[in-house]
Amino acid sequence: MESKSAVNMLSALGHEGRLAIFRLLVKAGPVGIAAGDIARTLEVLPNSLSANLNVLSHADLITSRREGRSIIYSADFSAMSGLLGFLMEDCCHGAPQICAPLGAIVAKAEACCP
């Protein structure tokens, strides 16, 4: 991953509302959640939700698909794994006990990829 992509992703997640949306989508897994359900769950106005989903989408952190009349949003686990891996890339310098738990988190995120 390039630094520019990582900065874009971190910037998108650096907002309380967008972070809440992303965490909700991570919990939902690859199945995803309809936009209306996201709005109701997080008690977000539709226009704010739309703007935040747009930012997350442009940062390549989420994907969307149409199912009937609904748009279903999902976290992009591959992108999330890439970001976590980028952040840990130079971890430890000889002290694997420090990063071993973080490595397990990255492995778990990679396993979520559809």
Side-chain angles (χ1 to χ4, degrees), residues 26-67:
V26 168
K27 287 179 189 175
V31 173
I33 303 177
D37 292 335
I38 296 170
R40 281 186 289 282
T41 300
L42 298 177
E43 299 178 353
V44 177
L45 295 174
N47 61 339
S48 295
L49 177 66
S50 179
N52 286 328
L53 289 169
N54 193 34
V55 171
L56 290 168
S57 180
H58 280 102
D60 295 325
L61 287 165
I62 63 171
T63 60
S64 63
R65 67 184 185 281
R66 183 169 288 282
E67 285 186 9

